[in-house]
Amino acid sequence: MSQAQNTGQVMKAVIRIQRFNPDVDRKPYLADYPLDITDDTTLLDALETIKNELDGSLTFRRSCRHAICGSCAMNINGKNTLVCNRRVKAFLDGKGRVTIRPLPYLPIIKDLVVDRSAFWEQYLRVKPWLIPPASYNENQAPNSEFRVMPEEVAALKNAETCIMCGACYSACSVVGMNKKYIGPHALLKSFLRVMDPRDSAPAERLENVGGDDGVFRCHTIFNCIDVCPKGLNPTQAIETLRKLAQKRRDFEAARVERQKTLEADHV
Amino acid sequence: MRVFVLQRVTAVALVVFLTLHMIVVHYPPGHLDFSRVMVRLANPVWKVIDILFLLSVLVHALAGAYAVLIDAERIMPYKRILAWGAIALGVVAFIYGTITIINFKVLV
Ligand code: SF4
Ligand code: FES
């Protein structure tokens, strides 16, 4: 039974989807699927209904259905967003139609599924994991937790809820021009690590993101902020990294001092 | 990073120079008058201001064009050539402009 039959008043909608099967098609094309929807039908519900009832060959990624896994980012009416938490009704144009395309600037594997290799390669470039102080011994459990001040935690707020959906990466015009650019998602993660008082390699990170493919390549176009489904601000993070990259030695020295107090707490 | 910083510094200089330029040349009534413009251009203080203005415009424009061009993945491998080309173009334009400004005299 489709979602449309479950709740609320039923209305007509046309879901226009970009289709592409590399084994058969020479280039992508748009296909229309008429559907009954209700106020509550999400874009993902619509895609599931089409796949289950109209065309089983339709291919798309999804997993959690709760806007937390980041796998369902697509381009809706020209703007990237998640499809699992957005209602179809909000996107219908005057003709009762919504257009769903795969994320732009990325190679299409099939229909709405794109190849995210470049996205993950850039992510790994910034060493997204925490690098603990040299004194930290991973074979010996610490006696107490690292204490981080509330204001230090607050500084991380802008980055820690990123779900790696790729909406920002694929909306970035610089990424569109040059796949060597690290990209807003990875720079936001780098910001998270640089600002974290427990991390002991801020200078190395700042040198990395201050290079040719990093923060100075951003043209503050703000597409990343515009599309982020979590309301994050990668541009602000990039701006902060730009400033810190120019005084990275001082920043690292301050971090060493800060970590001495962490270690005092830690003993 | 150097190009980025250069472009920001010249952007600030341009705000100052352009404000001065608009106020002196365009806004006060009667300032778009041939003889007044002649006298101003012959003034040594204005010559210095105009040369600095020219320098800021050139650095800002060429740094901006360079930054945008090397965004393209295909152009990026040639960025050194592009940088030297931009510097050469800037030097030629600066010398040409400076000679024009310095040599300006009021013809009476
Ligand atoms: S910053 Fe926002 S848009 Fe970019 S990957 Fe994270 S959640 Fe997605
Ligand atoms: S399905 Fe997980 S974020 Fe949409």
Side-chain angles (χ1 to χ4, degrees), chain B residues 1-23:
Chain B
M1 176 156 46
R2 275 174 298 177
V3 175
F4 180 88
V5 173
L6 260 184
Q7 219 200 352
R8 267 61 194 173
V9 169
T10 51
V12 174
L14 279 181
V15 170
V16 176
F17 286 129
L18 275 174
T19 309
L20 200 64
H21 176 83
M22 295 306 278
I23 291 172

Side-chain angles (χ1 to χ4, degrees), chain A residues 203-261:
Chain A
E204 180 196 325
R205 293 183 190 283
L206 289 167
E207 188 169 3
N208 182 18
V209 301
D212 266 358
D213 307 325
V215 286
F216 295 103
R217 187 155 298 282
C218 168
H219 295 301
T220 46
I221 301 166
F222 298 125
N223 282 357
C224 51
I225 305 175
D226 193 33
V227 299
C228 178
K230 293 290 166 185
L232 303 180
N233 189 335
T235 312
Q236 180 64 57
I238 291 170
E239 201 56 44
T240 306
L241 290 175
R242 273 177 182 160
K243 286 188 192 132
L244 295 178
Q246 293 173 71
K247 44 182 180 182
R248 59 178 189 275
R249 296 278 159 235
D250 293 346
F251 190 74
E252 173 116 341
R255 175 61 50 83
V256 170
E257 289 305 309
R258 174 70 183 94
Q259 289 196 338
K260 282 182 189 160
T261 64

Side-chain angles (χ1 to χ4, degrees), chain A residues 167-188:
Chain A
C168 58
Y169 181 76
S170 133
C172 175
S173 314
V174 183
V175 169
M177 296 272 286
N178 190 340
K179 289 285 182 308
K180 293 197 174 86
Y181 173 49
I182 294 176
H185 67 306
L187 291 172
L188 188 68

Side-chain angles (χ1 to χ4, degrees), chain A residues 2 54 68 84 92 148 166 170 200 223 232 264:
Chain A
S2 73
L54 300 175
I68 201 66
C84 64
L92 294 179
V148 182
S170 133
S200 59
N223 282 357
L232 303 180

